[in-house]
Amino acid sequence: MILRFLLALIFLVCTLQMTIALDVDDALLMGSKPAKKLSDYRLFSPGLDGMPAGRVTPYTLNNPLFTDYAIKYRFLYLPEGAEPAPLETAKPLSFPVGTVLIKSFAYPESFREPAKAIRFIETRLLIHKKNGWKGYPYVWNEDQTEAYLKVAGKRLEIPVQWANGEKAIIPYAVPNMNQCKGCHVSAEKKLAPIGPKIRNLNRSHEETGLNQITYLQELGYLERGEKKPAELPKVPEPFLATSGSLAERARSYLDGNCAHCHSPGLPADTSGLYLDYTETRPVHWGLNKPPVAAGRGSGGFSVDIAPGKPDRSILLYRMKSTDPGVMMPELGRAVVHKEGISLIEDFIRSLEE
Amino acid sequence: MGMALKSTLFRFILAVFLVSAGSVHAASDFLIQPGPDAQEKLQEALILAEPGQVIELSEGVFKLTDGLSLDVENVTLQGQGMDKSVLSFRQQKGGSEGLLVTSSQVVLKDFAVEDAKGDAIKVKGVDGIAMIRIRTEWTGGPKPTNGAYGLYPVQSKNVFIHGSVAIGASDAGIYVGQSENIIVRNSRGEFNVAGLEIENSYNADVYDNVMTRNTGGLLVFDLPNLPMQGGHNVRFFRNKSFRNDTDNFAPEGNIVGIVPRGTGMIVMANENVEIFENEFYDNDTMNIAVASYVDDFDDENYQPTPKKIHIRNNVFGKSGTNPDPGEFGTIVRETVGTPVPDIVWDGVLPLMDYLFFGQKEAERLAIHDNKHAEGVRPFGNANMIMHVIAPFLHKADFDMAPYQKSYPSLPPVKVVIRGRPAEELVN
């Protein structure tokens, strides 16, 4: 009964949006050249406080990537009449041509009030064109009225105030188009989405309270399957103690923050360190594994994860660094993720020597 | 058709413009000059270039703040010479290498990459990469804070390195890993931990290179737990590896940290390595070590002992008189004494073979027709297993007789880039 009510509500909202917003410019999205201005695509309605256009739907992930404490807003757009993505559990979902994945990065004026005075920094689009996925970074202007394409990326200095009142400047790097592919790459060396995997999406949808898998299926964005969400793979939320054991949450964190490169066939497989959630061979997820090409990234330690000894583990050493020749991940981070570090520290300490 | 015409017209106009401006760079599609916007201009060119195009670096020092990357196939990036066009990463704030190439059929030539925060030039997962007269250098001398690798192609096919220079890498100056069909020639490595290293690779020809003032000159390694392993068919010939006298400065934890100061060459694991017509001299610890993988490992597909290593027609000068006091050097000194024999085998075999059967004849070291300095033993089996399990029973073995045999020479490696032999890309 409740379900039906909610679904009705969703469809009402969707329809409503479609009537008040302009249609998304599919032709422009599918064109060979990217638009110079983000607004040209009409993915968000002007004058409606950036409200998503019809069929542009927000979603969230269980184990999002840390990016300098930026707040991220994710949206998924499938054009009218597009086939739903097949329900597969091993890889990121294969959304059809015409799909756009949208991720906006923003900071509040102060982390004391993280929901207030939000300033948008950049919006990244992953567009599934006829000849494959393409990634484009758009950087917002000072007035927050428009975001402009920056092919070669951009270095920004972002003033922030942390929750403890301290002020800092984040040397934020908007990636260039090649750097998009540094992470967003498939085993076939093609640009590809990372986040939308069943195991990351399998959670409650914030706007409706439905399971997000169910929600996407109801929208026609995802193929229905025989299995209910509860029977599908799921990673726990790394920082929600009730969502899994320490080891599960730590592996989920590493999955979300490292496995886009550290998996078989992906950019960091040269190291033999595989941090995807499904890796079961201890040496490959780092246990007592010597480095291969770490250079000074080893920090003078001899293995990636030294059980019981976080302060002797290369993996943690590299998470704690902000030196570009040492730090991991290599991109998208200029400050350390204190909460992530303490989670991995606890995890390594809990491993038997 | 319209596009092609337009593009031709555009190039024509560009050419006219460049010629009229008195420039000689009409052949390139992008000309990048040093200056405050060099980072953005160069990275933009590396993104917008189309297959077949040339990006040219003018003379000067390009001060860069972020790692560069190229992901377009069949692009040439060329400067005016390895001492004239310099990409300096001293101010680098982001990116873990100086230049990253992830597209095939790329040619890099005549420029330098200095002071990258991580590796200098990394090339990953491509078919066809030429690096011609490239210099990679950390200008502050050998330091553990230098990046790991200078020229670093990995998981690639058809790799060609010619006339290049690598200085100051805290791991290997020239490092080819998990790759196949490789030529490294006429290049120089100085003040690196390892001058030149071939690792987990198949079919490599390494010749006419000069390695000096490194910790160790030439390395051929095979490591466990990697997507590509079982390194084999590697030829090293007409190289010079001498006076490698820099203390090992590798950050701890790296396998290359084991290399003793003053090593001409190390063969670790691998099968079918042919070493001929090289010169080794003035290496304080030893000229050539043939060894098994040194650490514990958990990988049932891995072969830790070297097989069919063929060492012939080399010239060995005086070396091995002052072994490195570190772990490896000390073991060498203790097991085979000084002056250390020119070729040292650790004698490690799978335990059953060691105890009962001995090494299979078909896999045994082959050594013949080398020239040795007077008063130096040509060969020593360090008998490392006994040294570890029962030191009081340990005795090294200097008898050459079992190894005076030969293997057929390995075939030359062919590297094809842009549809023709890579050698033709020089000039």
Side-chain angles (χ1 to χ4, degrees), chain B residues 53-126:
Chain B
Q53 290 193 320
V54 176
I55 302 169
E56 187 152 346
L57 301 168
S58 70
E59 201 171 317
V61 178
F62 297 73
K63 292 180 180 160
L64 303 167
T65 53
D66 281 274
L68 299 166
S69 56
L70 172 61
D71 190 44
V72 185
E73 295 204 347
N74 196 14
V75 165
T76 301
L77 175 61
Q78 66 180 50
Q80 309 304 314
M82 67 162 74
D83 296 313
K84 291 184 175 154
S85 302
V86 178
L87 305 179
S88 169
F89 289 89
R90 192 169 294 185
Q91 310 295 328
Q92 187 174 5
K93 291 184 197 141
S96 56
E97 50 275 305
L99 171 63
L100 173 67
V101 177
T102 48
S103 48
S104 296
Q105 309 295 321
V106 165
V107 176
L108 307 176
K109 62 178 171 183
D110 296 306
F111 64 89
V113 170
E114 289 184 355
D115 299 316
K117 288 282 184 282
D119 306 313
I121 302 178
K122 179 173 177 179
V123 181
K124 204 229 160 192
V126 312

Side-chain angles (χ1 to χ4, degrees), chain A residues 228-250:
Chain A
K228 294 190 183 107
E231 299 163 315
L232 290 168
K234 176 180 179 161
V235 289
E237 291 181 48
F239 303 104
L240 183 63
T242 52
S243 77
S245 69
L246 174 62
E248 286 165 347
R249 288 184 293 117

Side-chain angles (χ1 to χ4, degrees), chain A residues 33 150-153 155 171 173 176-179 181-182 189 265-274 282-284 289-303 312 314 322-327 330-331, chain B residues 40 43-44 46-48 65-67 69-71 92-97 102-103 117-119 122 124-126 144-149 152 154-155 170-171 175 178 199 223 225-227 251-255 293 295 298:
Chain A
K33 290 246 155 71
K150 282 281 170 195
V151 172
R155 282 216 162 263
N176 68 50
M177 279 170 55
N178 281 357
Q179 289 170 323
K181 203 177 157 187
K189 293 194 70 185
L266 298 185
D269 71 342
T270 47
S271 64
L273 179 67
Y274 306 142
V283 67
H284 280 295
K289 182 189 174 301
V292 172
R296 66 197 178 95
S298 74
F301 308 128
S302 41
V303 293
R312 305 286 305 163
I314 295 172
T322 55
D323 175 338
V326 172
M327 69 181 192
E330 293 176 348
L331 291 177
Chain B
E40 192 170 346
Q43 184 57 65
E44 229 168 53
L46 291 167
I47 290 170
L48 299 175
T65 53
D66 281 274
S69 56
L70 172 61
D71 190 44
Q92 187 174 5
K93 291 184 197 141
S96 56
E97 50 275 305
T102 48
S103 48
K117 288 282 184 282
D119 306 313
K122 179 173 177 179
K124 204 229 160 192
V126 312
T145 49
N146 293 349
Y149 302 126
Y152 175 23
V154 64
Q155 287 185 351
S170 69
D171 195 311
Y175 171 95
Q178 301 177 55
E199 191 167 272
L223 305 181
N225 297 123
L226 291 177
E252 205 181 321
N254 291 280
I255 182 82
Y293 181 64
D295 278 330
D298 172 13

Side-chain angles (χ1 to χ4, degrees), chain B residues 107-108 157 171 207 237 386 421 425:
Chain B
V107 176
L108 307 176
K157 280 180 193 163
D171 195 311
Y207 59 96
F237 57 100
M386 197 56 81
L425 291 164

